[in-house]
């Protein structure tokens, strides 16, 4: 039997030793960004995507393993654990398969089948199964017993039917076979619910629609599920091309599994029990299993659709977060509106608010010239270089206003750029914004956010719940727990890929750094407010609750520019400073002279600096970082890229 490590290594197509090392690091509390960046020797260079998948599968397989042990103990206590069953449970690779195996042994409320067993009808069921030539009606007569409320043969046979139905429906191998039949041959058909045509106009493509279950793309599946949830659509699974009176392949599979006569395949009715057993088979499928199998497969379809949709959301979010930053340039943010006016906020090169006002260039006030004059005065006063215009209501009209301003005043040298304002209103009304700007109106906070997200999209957008940034359709149709987990992982990976300037970062940005909690982020802010700017990474260890393990996880992602040690502004981890000093010594220059010295760094042989503490991948990374210290993985900001 494969171990969890072996299963994951097979799925990821990597070595078992890589998986073992990654699991050990995760269990020690190391974060994915830290492992992927600073523990390449241990994991053989697993990247953050592989590590996320590994972590997810590790959790699932461990939960599966724990459930197996619980089920084995339960069945063993009942005295029903056979070597064959134990082997099947150990080999089950999904929670669905495991629960199917456990189904016959679950403690459940009294069923019709159990009641029939209690009144002594199981021997009749076994008798008919053992000999199909026996007439069920005749055999049932011997079990009539008014004291047991069995007054006629129909009641007796119904009891025997319920016993067999439950026996068939609890066969794990049969359940797996039936799911496969419906998955391969099933068609999902949807229809509009009567009198819902007008209310559900947006779902008109699915008013009379059918498609093979196995080929439905995620976006269509999510649309169908939404339509069903809103009471507009009905959805039903059936077999492709099957006429109403055709033998159902799932009924035939039940018959084949237990070697039973099935009248649609035996129209002559050659055995006495054939008709009755056919009814048992039909009831087993139509009453006992069809809805269960349908719900299972639609659940699987939803899960696959959600997974794909969440991946799209994640990719979109990553693109937004890693958009080119305009950098430290004085910027004006415009939050457009018609009747309510355009909110204006000016921020300096570090994003601190300098001024704010409101203008009314559009209907109904139409103060076009006055608005241009107001903006021009602010631009001249604060040397504005960029104007960020939110892409909400009246954004095009406001963009036209700014273009007219530039045309009228050729003396101003600035660029107007429309930016995505999704989430700005959420931020402006948030507790974080209230704490950051307690004396400013929410509308002004929104304009500030629009300006800042042009200066540094990542630093500003981390203040907003990822789901509020607007990264795709059907966000509310997927598992909100899974969506939040994945989007938060994307934010974490982006923040740590870019790095964080510890002396200027907000608490919202700091708490996304590997190993840093919200409490610790607040402590760092409080520390620098009380003590002044940090001048070295070492000082971080004096911040309350910054333990040794947390410092190890976070230090490489925190930057201190202009500090005591130039390496503190780079992605070189403090644990590797000795390697840099060794390189500097061999190169006969100090660390300051080494950083950015392409000629010297290019001539180095990484293998010469490999040690017990730093393997070859680490040394290669260090040399690359020294060549371009603190490099930003985001593309360079070019105003031309934002022109229409």
């Amino acid at each position: 039997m494969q171990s969890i490590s072996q299963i994951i290594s097979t799925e990821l197509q990597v070595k078992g030793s890589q998986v073992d090392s990654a699991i050990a690091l995760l269990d020690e509390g190391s974060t994915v960004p830290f492992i992927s960046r600073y523990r390449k020797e241990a994991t053989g260079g697993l990247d953050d995507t592989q590590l996320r998948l590994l972590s997810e599968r590790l959790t699932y397989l461990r939960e599966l393993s724990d459930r197996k042990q619980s089920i084995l103990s339960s069945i063993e206590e009942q005295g029903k654990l056979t070597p064959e069953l134990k082997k099947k449970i150990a080999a089950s690779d999904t929670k669905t398969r495991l629960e199917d195996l456990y189904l016959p042994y679950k403690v459940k409320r009294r069923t019709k089948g159990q009641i029939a067993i209690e009144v002594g009808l199981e021997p009749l069921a076994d008798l008919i199964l053992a000999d199909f030539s026996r007439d069920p009606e005749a055999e049932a007569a011997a079990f009539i017993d008014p004291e047991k409320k069995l007054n006629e043969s129909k009641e007796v046979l119904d009891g025997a039917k319920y016993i067999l139905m439950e026996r068939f429906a609890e066969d794990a191998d049969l359940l797996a076979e039936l799911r496969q039949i419906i998955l391969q041959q099933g068609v999902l058909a949807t229809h509009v619910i009567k009198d819902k045509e007008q209310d559900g106009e947006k779902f008109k493509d699915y008013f009379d629609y059918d498609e093979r279950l196995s080929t439905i793309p995620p976006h269509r599946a999510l649309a169908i599920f939404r339509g069903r949830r809103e009471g507009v659509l009905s959805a039903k699974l059936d077999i492709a091309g099957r006429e109403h009176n055709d033998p159902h392949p799932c009924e035939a599979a039940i018959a084949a599994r237990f070697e039973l006569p099935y009248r649609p395949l035996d129209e002559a009715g050659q055995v006495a029990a054939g008709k009755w057993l056919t009814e048992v088979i039909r009831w087993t499928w139509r009453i006992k299993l069809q809805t269960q199998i349908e719900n299972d497969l639609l659940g699987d379809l939803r899960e696959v659709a959600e997974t794909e949709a969440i991946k799209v959301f994640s990719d979109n979010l990553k693109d937004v977060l890693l958009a080119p930053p305009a950098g430290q340039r004085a910027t004006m943010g415009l939050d457009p509106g018609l009747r309510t006016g355009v909110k204006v906020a000016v921020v300096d090169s570090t994003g601190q608010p300098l001024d704010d006002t409101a203008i009314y260039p559009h209907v109904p006030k139409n103060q076009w010239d006055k608005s241009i004059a107001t903006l021009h005065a602010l631009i001249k006063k604060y040397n504005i270089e960029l104007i960020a215009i939110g892409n909400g209501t009246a954004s095009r009209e406001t963009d036209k206003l700014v273009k007219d301003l530039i045309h009228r005043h050729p003396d101003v040298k600035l660029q107007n750029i429309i930016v995505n304002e999704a989430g700005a209103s959420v931020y402006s009304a948030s507790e974080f914004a209230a704490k950051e700007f307690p004396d400013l109106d929410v509308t002004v906070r929104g304009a500030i956010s629009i300006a800042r997200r042009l200066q540094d999209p990542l630093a500003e957008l981390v203040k907003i719940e990822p789901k509020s940034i607007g990264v795709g359709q059907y966000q509310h149709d997927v598992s909100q727990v899974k969506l939040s987990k994945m989007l938060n992982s994307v934010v974490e990976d982006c923040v740590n890929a870019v790095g964080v300037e510890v002396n200027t970062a907000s608490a919202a940005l700091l708490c996304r750094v590997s190993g840093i909690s919200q409490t610790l982020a607040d402590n760092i802010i409080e520390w620098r407010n009380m003590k002044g700017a940090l001048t070295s990474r070492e000082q971080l260890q004096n911040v309350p609750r910054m333990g040794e393990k947390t410092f190890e996880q976070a230090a490489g992602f925190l930057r201190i520019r202009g500090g005591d040690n130039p390496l503190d502004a780079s992605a070189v981890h403090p644990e590797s400073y000795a390697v840099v000093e060794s390189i500097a010594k061999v190169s006969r220059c100090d660390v300051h002279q080494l950083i950015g010295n392409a000629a010297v760094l290019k001539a180095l042989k990484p293998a010469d600096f490999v040690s017990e503490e730093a393997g070859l991948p680490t040394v290669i990374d260090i040399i690359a970082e020294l060549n371009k210290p603190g490099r930003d993985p985001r593309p360079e900001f070019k105003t031309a890229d934002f022109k229409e």
Side-chain angles (χ1 to χ4, degrees):
M1 199 63 59
Q2 283 189 314
S3 66
I4 288 177
S5 175
Q6 290 171 329
I7 293 171
I8 295 175
S9 66
T10 299
E11 292 176 350
L12 295 183
Q13 297 184 326
V14 297
K15 295 178 182 177
S17 57
Q18 293 175 275
V19 175
D20 289 336
S21 296
I23 290 175
L25 287 164
L26 289 169
D27 287 344
E28 290 171 5
S30 295
T31 66
V32 166
F34 174 77
I35 297 171
S36 64
R37 180 66 180 82
Y38 297 112
R39 290 296 179 264
K40 290 182 178 179
E41 285 90 358
T43 67
L46 294 181
D47 61 30
D48 52 2
T49 301
Q50 290 173 308
L51 287 165
R52 294 284 179 199
L53 289 172
L54 186 154
S55 179
E56 184 178 322
R57 286 296 287 157
L58 178 63
T59 299
Y60 180 90
L61 293 172
R62 281 180 169 172
E63 288 174 354
L64 182 66
S65 178
D66 290 344
R67 182 62 177 153
K68 285 180 183 179
Q69 294 306 312
S70 175
I71 286 174
L72 286 170
S73 297
S74 175
I75 299 175
E76 193 166 27
E77 287 174 5
Q78 298 174 41
K80 299 177 181 179
L81 185 61
T82 64
E84 182 183 0
L85 178 58
K86 185 175 182 180
K87 186 176 180 181
K88 284 184 177 180
I89 289 173
S92 52
D93 56 358
T94 67
K95 293 177 181 178
T96 299
R97 171 65 175 171
L98 185 58
E99 295 302 328
D100 284 350
L101 289 167
Y102 184 44
L103 193 58
Y105 309 97
K106 269 186 176 177
V107 178
K108 31 185 152 3
R109 62 184 179 181
R110 287 177 77 226
T111 62
K112 291 181 178 180
Q114 287 174 327
I115 293 170
I117 291 173
E118 290 169 7
V119 297
L121 296 181
E122 191 167 26
L124 173 61
D126 291 336
L127 186 68
I128 298 173
L129 275 186
D131 187 353
F132 303 151
S133 66
R134 293 179 181 272
D135 182 357
E137 288 276 353
E139 299 297 337
F143 289 85
I144 293 175
D145 185 346
E147 291 185 4
K148 296 180 179 178
K149 298 183 179 180
L150 298 172
N151 299 306
E152 56 185 44
S153 59
K154 182 180 183 306
E155 293 175 341
V156 171
L157 287 174
D158 281 349
K161 177 173 65 177
Y162 293 132
I163 291 171
L164 293 181
M165 283 171 60
E166 290 179 17
R167 188 182 298 178
F168 298 161
E170 291 178 349
D171 185 284
D173 292 333
L174 173 64
L175 293 175
E177 183 181 353
L178 297 180
R179 286 194 188 93
Q180 198 60 31
I181 289 171
I182 299 298
L183 182 61
Q184 292 176 346
Q185 303 180 38
V187 168
L188 180 61
T190 63
H191 300 282
V192 64
I193 292 175
K194 187 178 179 181
D195 299 327
K196 291 289 185 178
E197 291 86 353
Q198 188 170 350
D199 293 343
E201 176 66 19
K202 62 184 177 182
F203 299 108
K204 64 181 180 181
D205 290 345
Y206 305 100
F207 282 1
D208 187 14
Y209 160 88
D210 63 78
E211 185 171 358
R212 285 243 180 204
L213 180 65
S214 58
T215 63
I216 298 176
H219 68 278
R220 283 211 283 271
L222 290 175
I224 289 169
F225 287 128
R226 178 189 284 184
R228 190 172 69 162
R229 189 177 65 251
E230 293 184 8
V232 175
L233 302 176
S234 65
K236 185 71 178 174
L237 275 177
D238 205 349
I239 296 297
R242 176 178 173 268
E243 297 296 330
H244 180 68
N245 294 322
D246 288 347
H248 199 293
C250 289
E251 293 175 7
I254 296 170
R257 171 69 180 163
F258 296 99
E259 299 180 345
L260 305 175
Y262 180 46
R263 286 191 69 87
L265 305 180
D266 179 18
E267 291 299 336
Q270 295 174 352
V271 293
K275 183 178 180 180
W276 183 79
L277 285 170
T278 295
E279 182 183 3
V280 173
I281 292 167
R282 284 175 172 165
W283 274 53
T284 300
W285 171 245
R286 298 177 187 182
I287 306 300
K288 199 76 177 170
L289 290 178
Q290 185 172 10
T291 300
Q292 175 190 334
I293 297 293
E294 181 174 308
N295 288 340
D296 286 348
L297 290 176
L298 289 181
D300 290 345
L301 176 63
R302 174 182 284 280
E303 187 170 342
V304 170
E306 285 185 353
T307 299
E308 183 59 31
I310 289 172
K311 182 182 182 301
V312 172
F313 300 155
S314 300
D315 291 343
N316 291 345
L317 177 62
K318 185 175 182 180
D319 290 341
V320 171
L321 294 177
L322 295 182
Q328 297 187 338
R329 302 161 74 177
T331 304
M332 175 182 288
L334 302 182
D335 188 359
L338 293 172
R339 182 183 58 81
T340 57
V342 177
K343 272 63 72 178
V344 182
V346 177
V347 299
D348 66 15
S349 60
T350 64
Q352 294 305 306
L354 298 174
D355 208 337
D356 63 83
T357 188
I359 55 176
Y360 300 88
H362 313 308
V363 292
K365 294 189 177 181
N366 295 313
Q367 298 175 353
W368 190 269
D369 292 339
K370 182 179 179 181
S371 297
I372 287 179
T374 300
L375 294 181
H376 182 250
L378 290 171
I379 291 166
K380 296 294 288 183
K381 181 178 180 180
Y382 297 108
N383 296 316
I384 304 299
E385 297 182 54
L386 296 170
I387 295 183
I389 304 168
N391 67 342
T393 303
S395 63
R396 294 297 177 188
E397 294 87 340
T398 304
D399 184 50
K400 184 179 179 181
L401 174 78
V402 175
K403 287 177 179 175
D404 191 13
L405 181 155
I406 295 171
H407 175 72
R408 293 189 190 187
H409 299 281
D411 57 309
V412 298
K413 304 298 181 182
L414 53 80
Q415 178 67 47
N416 56 306
I417 296 166
I418 293 179
V419 300
N420 186 349
E421 67 173 30
S425 59
V426 174
Y427 160 75
S428 61
S430 69
E431 182 180 347
F432 186 88
K435 187 184 296 184
E436 193 172 15
F437 304 118
D439 300 324
L440 295 180
D441 184 82
V442 291
T443 57
V444 176
R445 296 172 190 165
I448 291 172
S449 181
I450 289 170
R452 284 177 163 183
R453 63 178 60 192
L454 182 59
Q455 290 180 323
D456 191 336
L458 180 60
E460 188 61 23
L461 291 173
V462 293
K463 302 172 185 176
I464 303 169
E465 175 70 25
K467 290 185 289 186
S468 299
I469 296 175
V471 289
Q473 292 182 316
Y474 304 115
Q475 276 186 241
H476 300 292
D477 295 324
V478 303
S479 165
Q480 296 304 292
V481 173
K482 291 181 181 177
L483 178 63
S484 293
K485 183 178 179 181
M486 179 62 78
L487 296 186
N488 282 324
S489 295
V490 171
V491 175
E492 181 183 25
D493 288 341
C494 290
V495 168
N496 288 285
V498 171
V500 171
E501 172 53 55
V502 72
N503 283 318
T504 58
S506 65
L509 188 57
L510 285 169
C511 73
R512 296 290 189 171
V513 172
S514 168
I516 295 184
S517 64
Q518 182 65 59
T519 299
L520 183 52
D522 291 337
N523 289 349
I524 293 173
I525 301 290
E526 185 177 355
W527 174 271
R528 76 187 190 203
N529 288 342
M530 291 175 59
K531 308 278 188 178
L534 287 87
T535 58
S536 73
R537 280 172 169 164
E538 286 183 5
Q539 287 180 312
L540 285 165
Q541 298 181 76
N542 297 324
V543 175
R545 304 193 70 167
M546 177 67 81
E548 183 179 335
K549 182 68 177 178
T550 303
F551 179 78
E552 176 191 60
Q553 297 294 307
F557 303 107
L558 295 172
R559 310 280 192 264
I560 298 177
R561 293 179 175 83
D564 299 335
N565 188 333
L567 294 177
D568 287 347
S570 73
V572 177
H573 197 283
E575 66 187 12
S576 298
Y577 283 5
V579 177
V580 179
E581 290 166 3
S582 176
I583 293 173
K585 184 177 180 180
V586 169
S587 303
R588 297 180 180 178
C589 60
D590 62 26
V591 174
H592 286 86
Q593 296 169 323
L594 186 64
I595 292 176
N597 193 330
V600 171
L601 294 169
K602 188 176 180 180
L604 296 174
K605 294 181 180 179
D608 293 343
F609 303 97
V610 171
S611 64
E612 191 174 321
E613 293 77 20
L616 187 59
T618 293
V619 175
I620 292 173
D621 277 354
I622 289 171
I623 293 173
E625 178 63 22
L626 291 173
N627 195 30
K628 294 181 179 179
R631 63 194 183 284
D632 194 323
R634 294 174 290 185
E636 182 183 351
F637 180 88
K638 297 177 181 177
T639 55
D641 294 339
F642 292 87
K643 290 182 180 179
E644 296 181 21

